Structures are given as structure tokens and as C-alpha cells.
Amino acid sequence: MEGEPNVRTGRHVIYTLHAHLVFITRYRRGAFTNEMLARCEEIMREVCADFEVELREFNGEHDHVHLLIHYPPKVALSTLVNSLKGVSARLLRKEYAEHIRTYLWDGHFWSGSYFAGSVGGAPLTALKQYIEQQQRPL
């Protein structure tokens, strides 16, 4: 594992955890402009840095954003997601108030739901086979 860029170490842990996150705007309203997406990425990079999470990729369309993150095991994804959505919603609503008001009028920016998928590492079939082949003591 030495020299592998995706493997990180902590005091008592060696890990490589990646997740794909997708957030959609409330009612899938197409509120994002290119400028807003760029600002959203800046905000989310700052939030990730506060959690010691690396935002590897970010992109989006008019009504949603995709993030690829590399995170330590001490970070609960639900806590990170709440911070990412909460901070970005507050700042985007403040900085682009007039534009957002034409698309979202009920005080919310993001939908209450989100997608989180684990990514990277060996395929599940390979992991299952590896675990099945362990030498159990007799």
C-alpha cells in the first residue's frame, strides 16, 4: 500500500474512503447559473477542508450538484452532508438572493434528500471471494 495516493493513514487506521454525493435543489428547480456553481464549489471546498475531507471532483447542472469526496473514517457522512447543504444554502441565498427568489420561494434551497454512494476499492465480488478464502483456525 506504500506509495498509493488514495491510501491515507491516521494514528490507528489506514483507509481509503471515497463517496459520490448528489444534492438536488428544492422541487428540482433549475436555480443554478455557472457563476453560482463556481461559488457553490468554493463553499463546499471550504466546508470539506474544515472536516479534513478532500473534495476531489465537483460539477453540476441547473438543478443539482455532484461531489466526489475522499474522507476519513472519523467523519460521519450524514454530518458532512448536513454541513455542506446548510452552509452552501445559507451563503448562496445571501449572495444570490434576488436570482434564487425567482426559483425557490419557501426558505429552502436544497431538497431534504440526497444520494450517497461508496466508490473505489475492489469490486464486491473480489472482496467476497477474499473474505471467503481466509484461513479460519481449526
Side-chain angles (χ1 to χ4, degrees):
M1 289 196 173
E2 200 171 298
E4 173 64 40
N6 290 325
V7 176
R8 293 187 184 173
T9 59
R11 186 174 169 126
H12 299 288
V13 64
I14 299 172
Y15 64 93
T16 179
L17 299 171
H18 292 86
H20 174 207
L21 303 174
V22 181
F23 308 147
I24 60 172
T25 57
R26 188 75 160 194
Y27 311 119
R28 283 203 85 114
R29 304 256 188 219
F32 278 113
T33 64
N34 188 48
E35 179 185 337
M36 287 176 63
L37 282 171
R39 179 62 178 130
C40 187
E41 180 178 3
E42 289 174 11
I43 294 166
M44 292 192 173
R45 284 193 185 281
E46 292 171 10
V47 172
C48 283
D50 290 344
F51 279 83
E52 299 175 21
V53 169
E54 181 185 356
L55 179 54
R56 292 267 174 106
E57 293 291 330
F58 177 93
N59 209 346
E61 294 184 8
H62 292 289
D63 62 354
H64 68 280
V65 296
H66 291 264
L67 295 81
L68 176 62
I69 61 167
H70 189 199
Y71 65 100
K74 68 181 180 181
V75 172
L77 277 181
S78 59
T79 303
L80 175 64
V81 166
N82 286 339
S83 289
L84 286 167
K85 290 171 72 174
V87 172
S88 62
R90 186 176 64 252
L91 293 176
L92 290 172
R93 275 191 163 283
K94 180 180 174 185
E95 296 171 19
Y96 300 95
E98 195 165 319
H99 173 77
I100 291 173
R101 209 173 296 121
T102 62
Y103 294 92
L104 303 163
W105 52 86
D106 65 354
H108 296 281
F109 186 85
W110 299 110
S111 165
S113 59
Y114 63 93
F115 169 82
S118 61
V119 295
L124 291 177
T125 54
L127 287 172
K128 184 176 183 219
Q129 185 179 25
Y130 175 76
I131 292 169
E132 287 173 348
Q133 292 175 354
Q134 294 298 296
Q135 302 287 324
R136 262 186 112 128
L138 299 172

